[in-house]
């Protein structure tokens, strides 16, 4: 079995937002897809440890802002590489407006938004799969949507090539966010402290 076949799947990128009480939060995901047209339904899989996942379960609805090719890396850092449990991701951020369902729409570096109401949630272990009916939506710009491949090639900053640190130690880099771990072997159960992806998403940095 060649696991590389999975890399042939293409994905979009999205900021998924939810609101509970006065608290707004959001996270980055690549797992939004339209699954039926009548009624118009989408699915969304969210890692169950994400605070946004708890908030969607509690509020029963969410809004998806579709990330476009003009998005800056800062958008990914703000919504992807920190947790809403200990930070207010929307603090000092004004590129937003509120959707009818209460969740915030991100209006910068995005080209459309879709609000949806959860109909079913399916427990997939690491992730919760939400099946949701679209309740409102609109386009924002004509900029093409950013695919995951586009993010990897054109949005994520290119790291400097270095095989070893100045002290001669091996460097492992997270393919998702660029976080670097220094050590001869990367522990199997290592979790990226920035983006929470597992050791399998790290690569040994080669010159
Ligand atoms: Fe990472």
């Amino acid at each position: 079995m060649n696991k590389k076949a999975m890399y042939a799947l293409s994905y979009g990128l999205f900021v998924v937002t939810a609101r509970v009480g006065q608290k707004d939060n959001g996270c980055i995901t690549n797992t939004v897809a339209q699954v039926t047209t009548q009624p118009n339904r989408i699915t969304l899989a969210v890692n169950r440890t994400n605070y946004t996942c708890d908030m969607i379960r509690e509020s029963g609805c969410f809004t998806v802002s579709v990330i476009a090719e003009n998005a800056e890396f800062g958008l990914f850092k703000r919504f992807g590489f920190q947790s809403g449990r200990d930070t207010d991701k929307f603090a000092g951020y004004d590129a937003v407006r509120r959707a009818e369902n209460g969740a915030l729409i991100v209006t910068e570096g995005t080209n459309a938004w879709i609000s949806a109401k959860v109909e079913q949630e399916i427990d997939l272990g690491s992730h919760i799969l939400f099946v949701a009916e679209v309740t409102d939506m609109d386009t924002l710009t004509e900029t093409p949507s950013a695919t995951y491949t586009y993010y990897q090639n054109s949005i994520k900053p290119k790291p400097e090539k270095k095989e070893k640190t100045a002290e001669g130690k091996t460097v492992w880099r997270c393919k998702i966010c660029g976080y670097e771990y220094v050590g001869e072997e990367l522990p199997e159960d290592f979790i990226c402290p920035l983006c929470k992806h597992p050791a399998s998403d790290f690569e040994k940095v080669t010159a």
Side-chain angles (χ1 to χ4, degrees):
M1 195 157 74
N2 183 356
K3 284 186 188 164
K4 282 190 178 161
M6 299 305 283
Y7 302 156
L9 297 174
S10 68
Y11 297 93
L13 286 164
F14 314 94
V15 184
V16 177
T17 51
R19 179 176 176 87
V20 170
Q22 297 302 319
K23 173 82 182 172
D24 284 294
N25 194 32
C27 67
I28 303 275
T29 174
N30 62 349
T31 57
V32 176
Q34 185 183 26
V35 286
T36 61
T37 48
Q38 286 191 328
N40 190 6
R41 283 195 192 97
I42 57 176
T43 52
L44 159 71
V46 188
N47 189 305
R48 73 186 310 143
T49 64
N50 278 7
Y51 189 36
T52 306
C53 187
D54 296 345
M55 292 177 66
I56 294 171
R57 295 178 96 174
E58 196 173 335
S59 66
C61 58
F62 59 88
T63 291
V64 174
S65 300
V66 182
I67 297 177
E69 288 186 352
N70 62 347
E72 290 178 4
F73 187 60
L75 181 77
F76 294 86
K77 284 203 285 190
R78 173 178 290 274
F79 292 105
F81 304 161
Q82 52 181 353
S83 172
R85 284 185 216 284
D86 32 66
T87 25
D88 176 0
K89 295 187 187 183
F90 288 99
Y93 190 69
D94 56 11
V96 288
R97 70 167 195 257
R98 203 165 286 288
E100 234 168 66
N101 71 354
L104 288 171
I105 298 165
V106 174
T107 57
E108 192 174 63
T110 53
N111 62 15
W113 60 271
I114 301 165
S115 287
K117 184 176 181 299
V118 175
E119 287 182 330
Q120 275 183 65
E121 59 174 77
I122 300 165
D123 189 335
L124 301 178
S126 63
H127 288 67
I128 301 293
L129 181 72
F130 296 102
V131 179
E133 185 167 347
V134 173
T135 52
D136 200 8
M137 57 185 160
D138 203 358
T139 56
L140 297 167
T141 69
E142 297 291 319
T143 311
S145 301
T147 61
Y148 184 67
T149 307
Y150 186 88
Y151 164 76
Q152 287 290 351
N153 295 338
S154 305
I155 297 177
K156 194 174 77 170
K158 295 270 178 292
E160 288 169 47
K161 289 276 184 193
K162 56 178 178 189
E163 199 166 34
K164 305 254 185 189
T165 65
E167 302 80 45
K169 292 191 175 128
T170 303
V171 178
W172 300 79
R173 184 180 298 130
C174 175
K175 288 188 274 188
I176 310 298
C177 73
Y179 175 82
E180 292 183 348
Y181 173 89
V182 176
E184 273 326 290
E185 290 305 324
L186 183 71
E188 257 175 47
D189 58 354
F190 192 75
I191 302 283
C192 178
L194 284 185
C195 72
K196 313 296 179 205
H197 278 248
S200 55
D201 283 320
F202 276 72
E203 60 189 352
K204 196 170 187 168
V205 180
T206 51

